Amino acid sequence: MGYDVQAVIAGDEVLRIASRELPGSAVVRLGQGLSMMPMTDELFDAVTDGSGAGDLGFWRLPGGFEALLARWSAAGPIAYVEAEHFGGVGKQRAAVWADGSLALGPLGPLDEPAKQRLSRAVSPVSRALRRLGTQRDVGKDEFESVGLNRHRTNEDWIADAC
């Protein structure tokens, strides 16, 4: 079974306040005081400025959305993450905004030389979660520690928000 998620992750209060102005948004609690807002088609349409994909290399980040994420980050750090895995093979991309600007990333599988990627097995999403203050539980990475492994698709996350 695969894993396919595109979402905004931030402190619960930061994300709940930000999502109030957006049609098609659903906020789901994660662990450690974080929540996520899965990217839906309706949300994508609400936040895009109509421009093409930005320079950050994400495959589902709406054009112009990074400016809104930067604005929201004045209230607390906020991440945009994408993860797609199937049969043990996949890719992730993540970025974090804080204090009104891009603070980390974008992080992805091609951002470091292969030797560094292999020696430091910390995924882009886990690195972004660290920047948001996530602490690793014993025997787990940040991804599992906040419960991002609880569901495998945006649709499943949205069903959990209802």
Side-chain angles (χ1 to χ4, degrees):
M1 177 168 236
Y3 185 94
D4 186 23
V5 170
Q6 306 84 36
V8 177
I9 301 175
D12 185 61
E13 189 64 22
V14 171
L15 203 51
R16 289 194 185 279
I17 290 170
S19 69
R20 288 181 190 154
E21 63 186 77
L22 299 173
S25 65
V27 176
V28 184
R29 283 189 189 271
L30 299 171
Q32 302 189 27
L34 297 178
S35 288
M36 71 179 290
M37 180 173 53
M39 182 59 66
T40 64
D41 291 340
E42 187 178 5
L43 178 59
F44 186 99
D45 291 343
V47 298
T48 189
D49 66 3
S51 64
D55 297 331
L56 300 180
F58 290 96
W59 59 90
R60 184 135 166 88
L61 182 69
F65 191 37
E66 62 270 14
L68 187 54
L69 292 169
R71 190 181 83 201
W72 290 345
S73 76
I78 192 162
Y80 179 78
V81 303
E82 296 181 340
E84 181 180 351
H85 300 270
F86 187 80
V89 177
K91 57 186 173 180
Q92 292 185 5
R93 196 148 188 86
V96 178
W97 287 260
D99 300 319
S101 62
L102 187 63
L104 178 66
L107 304 170
L110 302 177
D111 296 327
E112 300 172 340
K115 188 174 181 179
Q116 285 180 332
R117 285 196 311 270
L118 293 174
S119 67
R120 188 179 67 219
V122 179
S123 73
V125 173
S126 285
R127 289 176 63 193
L129 291 169
R130 275 187 193 171
R131 181 61 177 80
L132 297 179
T134 298
Q135 300 294 313
R136 292 175 55 187
D137 293 336
V138 176
K140 297 180 179 179
D141 63 5
E142 293 81 0
F143 188 96
E144 293 173 303
S145 294
V146 299
L148 277 172
N149 57 334
R150 197 167 72 217
H151 297 296
R152 303 184 80 65
T153 66
N154 279 357
E155 292 78 18
D156 292 341
W157 282 106
I158 292 164
D160 194 20
C162 298

